[in-house]
Amino acid sequence: MTTYTKVLEPINMGGQQFKNRIFMAPLTRLRAIEPSDMPNILATEYYSQRAGAGLVIAEATQVSAQAKGYAGAPGLHNEEQMAAWKVIVDAVHAKGGKIVVQLWHTGLVSHNSLQPEGLAPISASAIKVGVRTSLRDGLGHPIRVDSTTPRAASIEEIQQVVADFAQATRYAKQAGFDGIEIHAAHGYLLHQFWAEHTNQRTDNYGGSCDNRARLMLEVIEACVKAWDKDHVGIRISPLGSFNNVDGGYNEEEAVWLIEQINKHGLMYLHLSEPDWAGGQPYSTEFRQKIRQAFDNSIIAAGGYTPEKAEKLISEGLIDAVAFGRDYIANPDLAQRIAKGAALNEQRPQSFYGGGAVGYIDYPFMD
Ligand SMILES: Cc1cc2nc3c(=O)[nH]c(=O)nc-3n(C[C@H](O)[C@H](O)[C@H](O)COP(=O)(O)O)c2cc1C
């Protein structure tokens, strides 16, 4: 039996202690109640079952009504939603867990039927990338549809996005979360501004690296101001194509972006690596450059095994690992890894939408 030591060690991030380095990755499950976009009652059980993780990163959550891109994704932009999240946070804390919430604006990965006044979703530019999103059919089951071609956000709308991230951060603090994670990965709004092919703006938000990174960096600044640097992390997906939004495979630009993020002293940098989605694995050289560019903790995710995490932590290239699909299927994943126990079989057909089945019914170890 393989035994792991590094992944089971506690870690300090932003002055908080986390009991191990096996984290639960953010996982959209599309089970929120509509039209209120509140997490449903089962979410309390689902998240608290997973409190053995060193950190639970709750699913991508809208910072505004406009930020919504998928039917069934929750929000955190009003008091009612904040109160619903507080119940979940309290349940995770009661079981000795820690939980942050991932905040997103989906930008062009949306559909006008989900948008306020039925408008087209915003993005950096009015560019169709041919991506699909998810609505609900008459029975509440998820159905895949083409996204609506976006419109370019006005300066006022950009400023509103920044304000919305700040307000959602305040709600997260009020709900008792242990921090927030800015979702700047996977081809959603912040990534759409960063990626050259979705950003053809000629104002201060387009063109140079500085300009394309501006929105992301303004959001970071606003979230830090709304709480503090020790409670703000960020997820990016350098090198790889997600949702047909391609950040490019330019390592130099990716490292430059991380250096800019680093200036804000955030709690952590969370890398979503492209291997699991058909991309090339990171080279050791690229990992070393990231390590040099970022001073605080680095979380890595994407097709990891405990062995791979153990190795990269030992080599000093990452500090913690986040598991996605394995955490869906194993509520006690960290405990299983500690014991070298076998994992449950995943049931991908219930990853998105539906109710308790495939959500809170995966068995614990005996
Ligand atoms: C069902 C599902 C939902 C996901 N939702 C999110 C999300 O809300 N935010 C995010 O950043 N990544 C999301 N991801 C990506 C995961 O966080 C993770 O990076 C990915 O599953 C690869 O890790 P794994 O190989 O351990 O599953 C999702 C992945 C899956 C399979």
Side-chain angles (χ1 to χ4, degrees):
M1 191 185 93
T2 324
T3 48
Y4 304 103
T5 52
K6 295 289 175 194
V7 289
L8 299 171
E9 278 174 14
I11 181 172
N12 184 298
M13 301 194 301
Q16 297 188 71
Q17 184 85 353
F18 299 84
K19 63 191 169 198
N20 62 54
R21 292 156 190 250
I22 300 166
F23 295 177
M24 177 180 174
L27 292 155
T28 292
R29 304 303 308 275
L30 303 185
R31 284 160 165 86
I33 302 161
E34 290 190 284
S36 63
D37 296 340
M38 280 163 44
N40 79 15
I41 189 103
L42 302 171
T44 305
E45 177 69 14
Y46 166 70
Y47 281 115
S48 63
Q49 282 178 346
R50 287 157 179 78
L55 174 64
V56 171
I57 305 170
E59 67 208 84
T61 296
Q62 283 101 239
V63 298
S64 63
Q66 187 201 61
K68 184 173 178 179
Y70 297 80
L76 184 50
H77 48 86
N78 60 44
E79 296 279 335
E80 220 185 354
Q81 293 164 346
M82 187 278 293
W85 277 112
K86 189 172 187 312
V87 175
I88 295 168
V89 172
D90 289 346
V92 171
H93 285 163
K95 290 211 185 156
K98 293 259 191 194
I99 180 169
V100 301
V101 60
Q102 189 186 49
L103 298 178
W104 72 350
H105 190 306
T106 58
L108 63 75
V109 190
S110 185
H111 191 268
N112 59 341
S113 67
L114 299 172
Q115 288 288 307
E117 296 164 51
L119 290 173
I122 61 161
S123 185
S125 302
I127 292 167
K128 190 179 173 74
V129 299
V131 69
R132 308 192 93 196
T133 186
S134 180
L135 301 178
R136 278 177 173 161
D137 68 14
L139 295 169
H141 300 178
I143 42 166
R144 300 291 284 164
V145 296
D146 288 338
S147 291
T148 305
T149 303
R151 61 198 171 84
S154 66
I155 293 292
E156 293 70 33
E157 284 173 317
I158 292 174
Q159 288 166 347
Q160 188 59 50
V161 168
V162 175
D164 290 338
F165 268 93
Q167 179 56 45
T169 302
R170 285 189 284 272
Y171 277 134
K173 186 179 180 188
Q174 205 181 335
F177 278 106
D178 299 295
I180 62 125
E181 175 174 294
I182 297 167
H183 195 347
H186 298 169
Y188 296 107
L189 187 70
L190 303 182
H191 194 182
Q192 289 156 29
F193 272 74
W194 171 243
E196 266 179 300
H197 82 284
T198 41
N199 184 343
Q200 297 182 0
R201 299 179 74 96
T202 53
D203 60 10
N204 285 343
Y205 290 92
S208 64
C209 274
D210 276 305
N211 282 354
R212 286 183 285 115
R214 190 176 306 282
L215 176 59
M216 196 188 298
L217 298 173
E218 284 181 355
V219 164
I220 292 174
E221 208 179 322
C223 293
V224 168
K225 208 166 158 205
W227 195 334
D228 62 40
K229 66 178 176 48
D230 289 336
H231 293 90
V232 176
I234 189 165
R235 191 176 218 208
I236 58 171
S237 50
L239 315 193
S241 177
F242 293 91
N243 280 315
N244 287 356
V245 174
D246 195 326
Y249 291 80
N250 187 331
E251 292 195 5
E252 213 174 300
E253 279 198 2
V255 171
W256 177 87
L257 180 66
I258 293 168
E259 285 167 357
Q260 309 316 305
I261 293 172
N262 186 54
K263 291 179 186 164
H264 296 268
L266 301 185
M267 176 188 193
Y268 66 75
L269 174 72
H270 186 174
L271 300 168
S272 170
E273 300 180 18
D275 320 23
W276 73 288
Q280 290 299 311
Y282 289 178
S283 66
T284 302
E285 201 193 5
F286 183 54
R287 289 188 190 284
Q288 285 162 345
K289 284 185 193 158
I290 295 176
R291 178 53 104 188
Q292 276 162 19
F294 195 76
D295 296 329
N296 293 342
S297 298
I298 297 175
I299 307 170
Y304 269 74
T305 58
E307 289 78 9
K308 181 174 172 183
E310 186 80 8
K311 179 171 178 283
L312 291 176
I313 295 173
S314 304
E315 291 170 356
L317 293 171
I318 64 170
D319 299 294
V321 59
F323 289 101
R325 291 160 293 177
D326 283 339
Y327 244 120
I328 290 179
N330 299 275
D332 51 356
L333 181 66
Q335 299 91 316
R336 285 180 194 242
I337 291 173
K339 289 204 166 158
L343 303 187
N344 292 324
E345 201 172 319
Q346 299 170 7
R347 289 177 265 146
Q349 65 282 4
S350 49
F351 279 2
Y352 298 105
V357 175
Y359 194 47
I360 55 168
D361 64 348
Y362 281 103
F364 285 74
M365 282 182 290
D366 292 336

